[in-house]
Amino acid sequence: MVMWTVIFLLIVQLCLLGGLVISKIHSLKDERLISIYIDKYEEPFFQYLERESDECPELPSDIRYRVRLVERLLNRFVDQRRGQIEYTRVRDTAQTYLSHAYRLYLKNGSWSQRVNTLYYIEDFDMIDLKIDVWGYFNQLTVMDEEYRQAVRVLAAFQDERIIRLLLDKETPQRLVKQVLRRFKDDLFQQMVTVLENEPGRVPSQVHLAVVSYCGEKGSLDYLPFVERMLQFPSKEIRLKALRSLMELKACTDYQQLDKFYESEVWEERMYAAKIAGRLKLESAQDALLKLAGDSHWWVRYAACEAMKNLPDGARLLEYTHNYHEDKFARSMARQHLTVKVGELI
């Protein structure tokens, strides 16, 4: 009985191994054929996408190979020419050759196939699948990469329903910022308006992401909003606002920084010093001299770095090095005088 069991298990393992080998052989054969097709079609296909030719080359009749070939060629084209593409022909080509297959993948494909399909839908700007992606997204229950990429796709397609999703559901700050980077100005302005009119309605991670993204976006149109966030009760929001102010390199009223030089929160003192340096505020000299002797190393560093950026920074650092009452301030000033340090550590 034991011997027959061993023989049976051995036969099962050999069958499984044989199946894997056959599957691998077929896979390698398919890949070789796709590679041959790519070499054959890449140049005329790219010419068509770049409008050097008005006719798309005649592609393989087998739909399996045609879908994979177009997918690979479009992906290669987008990667090589990212930022320099007129997407109309890319979008039309993807719609012609891939839309039907992608609808099937979203309904019946494996997890990896669905995720890859979502990435391609965004890369090829396949807005004709927006309704399909939304319907598919509503069936997702786990916030994994599949869920996150579906959100990113809908944001790229400027679907306003994503705003409601962000307001009604706790969403990681990183994903919120990825959504905001895909929003055009009108949708981003809607988010800012909600924050100003109904701040209590906005989840904290969304609030933090919007304030932070204002600095990343670099538009002075949002400077008044960022400055209003400096008065917000939440320390985390104020810190994001200070960082955004530093990135914007602008401030309508320098006196609003005064309270941050004296803040009990050391990060606020640090950012206030950095902003003074970015804006070259000579009026902040006394505050920076005091912050150079702060109890936190990062604040001392930011204060001396800010002094270095002032019009008379070298003289101020020399004074700090020679006459400051705090030995740590003198040490930090000496470091900035003798070592070439970048603007940001």
Side-chain angles (χ1 to χ4, degrees):
M1 182 64 119
V2 172
M3 185 176 66
W4 282 110
T5 302
V6 171
I7 292 173
F8 173 75
L9 292 175
L10 179 61
I11 292 173
V12 170
Q13 288 180 338
L14 289 174
C15 290
L16 290 173
L17 180 60
L20 290 173
V21 170
I22 293 172
S23 176
K24 186 65 174 179
I25 290 173
H26 282 302
S27 177
L28 290 174
K29 182 181 177 181
D30 287 348
E31 282 299 318
R32 281 196 297 269
L33 186 56
I34 290 294
S35 296
I36 292 171
Y37 281 146
I38 288 175
D39 292 339
K40 177 181 178 180
Y41 288 104
E42 181 174 7
E43 184 175 350
F45 197 78
F46 280 21
Q47 288 175 348
Y48 171 72
L49 294 175
E50 292 175 329
R51 297 186 178 276
E52 295 177 6
S53 170
D54 291 331
E55 293 186 6
C56 183
E58 187 174 345
L59 299 174
S61 58
D62 190 318
I63 190 171
R64 295 174 303 160
Y65 295 120
R66 188 168 68 232
V67 167
R68 290 170 63 185
L69 174 63
V70 172
E71 190 175 72
R72 298 271 188 94
L73 289 174
L74 283 177
N75 187 51
R76 184 175 296 188
F77 180 79
V78 170
D79 282 347
Q80 291 179 3
R81 291 160 174 78
R82 191 173 296 277
Q84 304 174 359
I85 301 176
E86 196 282 298
Y87 265 96
T88 302
R89 184 153 285 186
V90 172
R91 187 188 309 117
D92 292 345
T93 303
Q95 181 176 348
T96 300
Y97 293 103
L98 301 177
S99 287
H100 177 69
Y102 281 3
R103 287 188 175 98
L104 294 177
Y105 293 164
L106 289 178
K107 289 180 179 179
N108 304 311
S110 64
W111 184 89
S112 60
Q113 195 172 44
R114 295 195 305 269
V115 173
N116 286 333
T117 295
L118 287 169
Y119 276 103
Y120 286 134
I121 288 173
E122 181 179 6
D123 286 346
F124 305 154
D125 196 28
M126 298 176 69
I127 198 166
D128 59 301
L129 296 180
K130 177 178 176 179
I131 295 175
D132 300 273
V133 174
W134 176 258
Y136 150 83
F137 168 71
N138 281 325
Q139 299 174 9
L140 301 178
T141 57
V142 179
M143 193 178 288
D144 58 1
E145 182 57 24
E146 185 177 16
Y147 177 97
R148 292 188 292 269
Q149 182 55 25
V151 171
R152 290 190 286 258
V153 170
L154 292 167
F157 292 163
Q158 308 305 303
D159 194 318
E160 292 187 15
R161 290 171 291 191
I162 292 298
I163 294 178
R164 180 174 296 278
L165 171 75
L166 296 180
L167 295 177
D168 294 344
K169 187 172 183 177
E170 284 291 342
T171 306
Q173 188 178 157
R174 181 180 179 185
L175 179 57
V176 177
K177 291 189 75 171
Q178 290 171 344
V179 167
L180 297 178
R181 292 185 189 112
R182 288 164 170 79
F183 275 175
K184 292 183 179 177
D185 286 341
D186 58 335
L187 290 189
F188 181 68
Q189 182 57 55
Q190 286 187 41
M191 295 294 297
V192 172
T193 301
V194 172
L195 274 176
E196 291 189 303
N197 297 338
E198 305 175 75
R201 179 186 173 194
V202 182
S204 61
Q205 295 303 307
V206 176
H207 201 152
L208 290 166
V210 172
V211 176
S212 175
Y213 183 63
C214 285
E216 181 181 318
K217 192 173 177 64
S219 173
L220 294 180
D221 292 341
Y222 299 102
L223 178 60
F225 166 72
V226 171
E227 290 184 325
R228 284 193 286 274
M229 292 299 103
L230 294 175
Q231 314 303 323
F232 208 79
S234 167
K235 177 188 76 173
E236 288 74 19
I237 297 295
R238 294 198 306 271
L239 288 174
K240 291 293 186 184
L242 285 166
R243 183 173 180 84
S244 289
L245 204 63
M246 181 184 73
E247 292 174 339
L248 290 171
K249 298 180 182 179
C251 184
T252 59
D253 181 7
Y254 301 147
Q255 291 185 348
Q256 64 186 320
L257 298 174
D258 292 346
K259 68 176 183 179
F260 294 108
Y261 298 134
E262 305 287 341
S263 173
E264 295 181 357
V265 180
W266 72 266
E267 295 97 333
E268 291 185 339
R269 301 196 300 273
M270 177 189 71
Y271 278 124
K274 285 176 176 282
I275 293 169
R278 289 288 180 93
L279 299 179
K280 298 179 171 32
L281 299 182
E282 293 185 80
S283 60
Q285 287 188 13
D286 291 341
L288 292 176
L289 280 170
K290 183 176 180 181
L291 291 175
D294 196 90
S295 58
H296 281 80
W297 187 92
W298 287 104
V299 179
R300 297 197 299 272
Y301 184 93
C304 289
E305 187 69 11
M307 290 182 199
K308 189 176 180 180
N309 291 329
L310 297 183
D312 201 16
R315 183 196 62 80
L316 194 59
L317 282 173
E318 284 284 359
Y319 175 85
T320 304
H321 168 50
N322 293 318
Y323 302 110
H324 202 287
E325 61 184 13
D326 186 271
K327 66 177 182 179
F328 295 113
R330 296 194 297 271
S331 174
M332 186 63 72
R334 182 178 69 252
Q335 176 182 338
H336 281 76
L337 285 168
T338 56
V339 179
K340 185 177 181 180
V341 184
E343 187 174 352
L344 292 176
I345 189 168

